[in-house]
Amino acid sequence: MGKGSDNIRYAQMKTVAGEYIPEVDIEYPVDDSASRVVKVRYDGREVEALDEHYSYLDDSFSFKIQHLINRIGMRLFLVPMNRLRYGLRIKGRENLKPFRRQFRSGAITVCNHVYRWDLVSVLTATGMHETFFPILADHMRGKDAWFMRYAGGVPVPETRSGMRAFNQAFDAYHERGKWIHVFPEATSWRFYKPVRSFKKGAFTMAYRYGLPVIPCVISYRERTGIYSLWAKDEPLVTLNVGTPIFPDLSKPRKAETERILKETHAQMVSMAGITHNPWPAEWTEAGEL
């Protein structure tokens, strides 16, 4: 197998019999589950400062038009391209049917962050709801900036003073019944098998807004048949949808946030076919090697 499978975390991982593990030639970190592996493709663009003056909630006519164009393009091009290139399959969609009424006020989806179109997979599985999601500030300076921004990406502020405006933007999106997506692993590790440790942001939002968390996880399949004619160094993907986890607002915020985080992580580990996951559920400074 590739370099990734020689990683100490892979050596610690155990999976169910027959679970496919991609062969990749990537040196994954072993001590920091949120460190950057996939580099942003910078194009030298200048962007406004991501401080308290940035439009985290953009209600301009220009934004609405470009956001609509992006959503239409995603449906017409990226969704079919995702199925063609990665053979996307969706499992567990039936887990959402009993909760349709509860989703009328929105929901928070979470997923492992493992390839370029993982968000497209989540949206395809959950109904293409209008969704807004935090993105790292560097993405606003990269070649994918237009797509990320007008797909619903809201950059995380680079100053403490900007956090209030950032939080107010998500308050407004929630009040409008929009869905929220968060990658709790924070950064993308291409075709990584274990489920990494989580930051708390998604689960703090779930408690703050009283919204259910929908766990999703991407697992992999061997590239065979017609799919073996292209992208031979990449696996096929399956998007697994879990059972929504609802916050109990009668319980203390800290305890409920931790419960939702741990239950979400456990569901994702199980759906990924992992019986022993090498990362702890919650991110720690030391990485708990």
Side-chain angles (χ1 to χ4, degrees), residues 157-174:
E158 295 179 301
T159 65
R160 182 173 297 181
S161 61
M163 286 305 301
R164 181 177 181 182
F166 175 84
N167 290 331
Q168 287 175 339
F170 277 99
D171 290 347
Y173 291 133
H174 166 57

Side-chain angles (χ1 to χ4, degrees), residues 90-105:
I90 297 172
K91 294 175 60 178
R93 187 181 271 160
E94 66 276 4
N95 292 329
L96 304 182
K97 291 181 180 179
F99 304 99
R100 286 177 176 172
R101 286 188 178 181
Q102 289 93 323
F103 295 156
R104 289 177 181 174
S105 298

Side-chain angles (χ1 to χ4, degrees), residues 11-210:
Q12 296 170 343
M13 179 179 65
K14 296 180 182 178
T15 63
V16 299
E19 182 67 27
Y20 181 70
I21 301 175
E23 296 186 9
V24 291
D25 192 22
I26 298 173
E27 292 283 0
Y28 297 116
V30 299
D31 58 351
D32 180 358
S33 70
S35 62
R36 184 72 63 83
V37 172
V38 178
K39 305 301 182 183
V40 174
R41 301 180 301 165
Y42 295 106
D43 62 1
R45 73 177 61 213
E46 293 185 7
V47 296
E48 59 185 298
L50 300 176
D51 55 19
E52 68 272 22
H53 303 296
Y54 184 82
S55 299
Y56 302 98
L57 176 67
D58 192 340
D59 283 328
S60 67
F61 179 75
S62 174
F63 178 87
K64 291 177 180 178
I65 290 297
Q66 294 186 78
H67 181 52
L68 177 62
I69 291 172
N70 194 307
R71 284 173 53 77
I72 293 173
M74 192 182 301
R75 285 177 179 267
L76 294 181
F77 299 106
L78 286 190
V79 170
M81 281 292 292
N82 196 21
R83 293 189 181 276
L84 179 64
R85 183 180 179 93
Y86 295 106
L88 174 66
R89 292 180 184 172
I90 297 172
K91 294 175 60 178
R93 187 181 271 160
E94 66 276 4
N95 292 329
L96 304 182
K97 291 181 180 179
F99 304 99
R100 286 177 176 172
R101 286 188 178 181
Q102 289 93 323
F103 295 156
R104 289 177 181 174
S105 298
I108 297 176
T109 55
V110 298
C111 187
N112 53 335
H113 202 0
V114 292
Y115 81 115
R116 191 175 185 186
W117 294 340
D118 38 24
L119 175 61
V120 177
S121 296
V122 172
L123 295 178
T124 303
T126 56
M128 298 300 293
H129 297 275
E130 188 174 12
T131 300
F132 292 86
F133 51 97
I135 58 174
L136 297 178
D138 280 356
H139 287 299
M140 298 305 297
R141 302 181 178 93
K143 293 183 178 180
D144 293 331
W146 184 90
F147 173 78
M148 298 288 286
R149 180 69 173 116
Y150 294 104
V154 183
V156 177
E158 295 179 301
T159 65
R160 182 173 297 181
S161 61
M163 286 305 301
R164 181 177 181 182
F166 175 84
N167 290 331
Q168 287 175 339
F170 277 99
D171 290 347
Y173 291 133
H174 166 57
E175 290 172 1
R176 298 173 185 181
K178 309 303 183 184
W179 284 44
I180 298 171
H181 177 79
V182 179
F183 290 111
E185 296 171 328
T187 57
S188 178
W189 288 13
R190 191 168 177 263
F191 304 123
Y192 191 66
K193 178 62 179 176
V195 179
R196 289 178 281 149
S197 303
F198 289 169
K199 304 284 190 177
K200 290 183 178 180
F203 315 101
T204 301
M205 281 185 174
Y207 186 88
R208 177 174 182 172
Y209 300 138

